[in-house]
Amino acid sequence: MALLTVTDLSAGYDSHAVVKDLNFTVNTGDYLCVVGENGSGKTTLMKTLLHLQDPVSGKILIGDGLNQNEIGYLPQQSDVQKDFPASVSEIVLSGCQARCGLRPFYNKKEKKLAKENMERMGITSLANKSYRELSGGQQQRVLLARALCATRKLLLLDEPVAGLDPVVTGEMYDLIASLNRDGVSIIMISHDVSAAVRYGSHILHIGDSAFYGTKDAYLNSSEGKAFLLQQKGQVG
């Protein structure tokens, strides 16, 4: 059974749909990249998948043993969030909040999980540093470790390389790919369609027309060919 099944989904605000009639699935091991024009509703879709806002219409079903509170999320950062004064270890450990239920403290198992995910992201040496003092790439690794504390199955990433230099961008993409190879399914919003087709197994294109399928099918679709051509023109 699929981790996530989306049927006839329209998403937006105040009953106004920004994206309409989407149908797609995410299975264990998938790496789904969501692409499209700026303003096409990619972040709105992600917030709807996370139940941070209600669908305008349609259904979102989770399965294969996944619970709603077991989805890891790395949102786009605001300038205020980048200046957050907490320590790295405090931020990573906060990803275990959903595991605590009504318990007002973290137990040994949750602290161990946070430590393991810091090791996994290569940030153990930063544990006692203030988050605000870190580089952009280091901050993203911290947030990724935090998201991993919430899930072993599904990560939702909203532009995880935004604002990073090319070297750090490549490192972040490689890190996400390694998580996917380890069995974590990925849904990632990306403005970079060339990276999406390099790393993703499936593509969801939203905009004036919608496409969902494998990356090979996307490269041969009218949506994929037009969007790739448009991006090449912008770079040129």
Side-chain angles (χ1 to χ4, degrees), residues 31 44 73 77 88 102 123 130 135 222 225:
Y31 190 147
T44 299
Y73 178 40
Q77 279 201 91
V88 166
L102 298 175
I123 56 171
S130 174
S135 68
S222 56
K225 289 177 180 177

Side-chain angles (χ1 to χ4, degrees), residues 80-186:
V80 172
Q81 289 167 324
K82 291 177 182 178
D83 201 36
F84 198 62
S87 72
V88 166
S89 60
E90 288 171 333
I91 289 176
V92 174
L93 190 56
S94 71
C96 294
Q97 281 182 350
R99 298 175 181 272
C100 294
L102 298 175
R103 175 167 34 86
F105 59 88
Y106 299 109
N107 61 26
K108 289 182 179 180
K109 185 177 180 181
E110 289 148 2
K111 291 176 182 178
K112 182 174 182 287
L113 178 63
K115 183 179 179 181
E116 288 172 350
N117 283 322
M118 283 192 287
E119 291 173 355
R120 200 173 183 184
M121 294 298 103
I123 56 171
T124 302
S125 63
L126 305 176
N128 296 319
K129 279 191 170 289
S130 174
Y131 179 76
R132 71 202 308 179
E133 297 174 357
L134 305 182
S135 68
Q138 289 171 332
Q139 287 187 344
Q140 288 299 82
R141 283 175 179 258
V142 172
L143 295 181
L144 199 49
R146 180 184 185 275
L148 285 168
C149 284
T151 188
R152 288 184 173 87
K153 292 188 176 184
L154 180 61
L155 276 176
L156 273 61
L157 312 174
D158 192 348
E159 299 280 14
V161 301
L164 302 181
D165 67 49
V167 172
V168 178
T169 291
E171 291 173 351
M172 183 60 63
Y173 278 139
D174 288 343
L175 199 55
I176 295 166
S178 72
L179 293 174
N180 182 241
R181 289 193 295 271
D182 287 344
V184 180
S185 301
I186 306 290

Side-chain angles (χ1 to χ4, degrees), residues 8 11 18 20 32-33 36 46 49 51 76 82 84-85 93 132 161-162 165 181 189 201:
D8 298 330
V18 179
K20 299 179 180 179
L32 174 65
C33 290
M46 187 161 282
L49 296 178
H51 291 277
Q76 290 189 46
K82 291 177 182 178
F84 198 62
L93 190 56
R132 71 202 308 179
V161 301
D165 67 49
R181 289 193 295 271
I189 292 176
S201 62

